[in-house]
């Protein structure tokens, strides 16, 4: 019979990290693979379609990095909900990461790149790392050590982000009213929650 993984992705019980990836150039996956090799007691689940990856990159993949291939939405949610941490890295400054939002919404500790915008935005429940082998290694070790605390902080971060979003929407509504925006623009603002 077909296994239903709507609720959970099959993990094998070791400390597990979902690496959110689309195999784009700003993702330092070579660094992740090299750090993973130094962390044999951790399982890394790298999302995305690995056919986009170079043969060079794939040749560096250690055994504890599992390429999930393309996942359905249910499988992806099951993976992110089931792991001990979510990792989403970028070599680009001024980039807000979807995987970061997803970690927050599922209450899972996040490991992300140490850029000011990411440090400012993901200010709780998150370990910020340099995009280096040492940085990723230390970040995973710290997450393993502080997992309970990071997990506790995530709902607080979620509340903070929701509050900030509402404030911005209210401010935008106020500006639109002041400027006498009507018609389409007024309707659009009315649709913002």
């Amino acid at each position: 019979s077909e296994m239903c993984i709507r609720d959970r992705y099959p993990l094998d019980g070791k400390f597990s990290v979902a690496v959110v990836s689309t195999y784009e150039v700003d993702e330092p996956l070579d660094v992740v693979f090299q750090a993973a090799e130094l962390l044999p007691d951790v399982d890394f689940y790298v999302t995305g379609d690995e056919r986009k990856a170079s043969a060079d990159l794939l040749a560096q993949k250690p055994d504890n990095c599992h390429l999930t291939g393309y996942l359905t939405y249910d499988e992806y949610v099951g993976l992110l909900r089931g792991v001990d941490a979510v990792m989403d890295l970028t070599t680009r400054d001024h980039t807000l990461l979807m995987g970061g939002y997803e970690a927050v919404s599922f209450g899972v500790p996040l490991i992300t790149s140490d850029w000011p915008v990411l440090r400012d935005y993901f200010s709780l429940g998150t370990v910020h790392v340099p995009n280096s082998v040492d940085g990723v290694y230390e970040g995973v070790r710290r997450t393993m050590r502080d997992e309970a605390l990071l997990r506790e902080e995530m709902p607080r971060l979620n509340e903070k982000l929701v509050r900030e979003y509402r404030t911005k929407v209210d401010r935008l509504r106020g500006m639109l009213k002041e400027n006498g925006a009507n018609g389409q623009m007024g309707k659009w603002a009315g649709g913002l929650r």
Side-chain angles (χ1 to χ4, degrees):
S1 72
E2 235 181 82
M3 185 174 98
C4 172
I5 46 179
R6 171 180 284 278
D7 298 325
R8 56 186 198 85
Y9 188 91
L11 303 167
D12 78 359
K14 280 202 239 170
F15 190 88
S16 54
V17 178
V19 181
V20 177
S21 165
T22 52
Y23 295 94
E24 290 297 327
V25 291
D26 70 307
E27 298 168 9
L29 284 175
D30 53 337
V31 165
V32 173
F33 286 170
Q34 289 166 54
E37 204 156 357
L38 306 172
L39 294 157
D41 52 334
V42 178
D43 270 325
F44 294 82
Y45 295 86
V46 184
T47 67
D49 183 353
E50 67 266 20
R51 288 173 304 183
K52 294 180 181 170
S54 70
D56 268 3
L57 176 67
L58 293 179
Q60 297 177 49
K61 184 190 85 61
D63 291 343
N64 60 333
C65 280
H66 311 281
L67 307 181
T68 67
Y70 175 79
L71 296 173
T72 65
Y73 180 72
D74 279 347
E75 288 168 335
Y76 181 71
V77 168
L79 173 65
L80 262 52
R81 279 205 170 123
V83 291
D84 299 302
V86 171
M87 181 183 291
D88 199 352
L89 304 176
T90 180
T91 56
R92 264 190 223 135
D93 195 358
H94 307 298
T95 305
L96 272 178
L97 300 167
M98 202 57 220
Y101 290 109
E102 290 161 343
V104 175
S105 68
F106 298 136
V108 180
L110 173 66
I111 301 166
T112 194
S113 300
D114 192 10
W115 292 112
V117 66
L118 294 175
R119 187 173 274 284
D120 186 50
Y121 204 83
F122 299 110
S123 55
L124 292 161
T126 304
V127 173
H128 298 269
V129 301
N131 293 318
S132 66
V133 176
D134 282 353
V136 172
Y137 173 87
E138 292 299 338
V140 172
R141 282 276 176 248
R142 202 182 127 205
T143 306
M144 293 171 85
R145 199 176 57 237
D146 299 342
E147 186 197 356
L149 172 68
L150 294 165
R151 209 169 263 277
E152 228 170 76
E153 287 180 351
M154 264 311 181
R156 282 169 39 214
L157 177 59
N158 196 20
E159 282 162 25
K160 174 181 170 255
L161 294 179
V162 167
R163 218 170 32 243
E164 285 171 5
Y165 175 76
R166 290 209 175 111
T167 304
K168 283 180 183 140
V169 168
D170 288 345
R171 202 174 296 145
L172 178 62
R173 278 210 184 99
M175 280 162 50
L176 290 170
K177 248 185 211 138
E178 265 171 46
N179 296 329
N182 49 22
Q184 216 40 56
M185 200 62 184
K187 260 189 231 151
W188 178 78
L192 285 175
R193 291 283 165 267

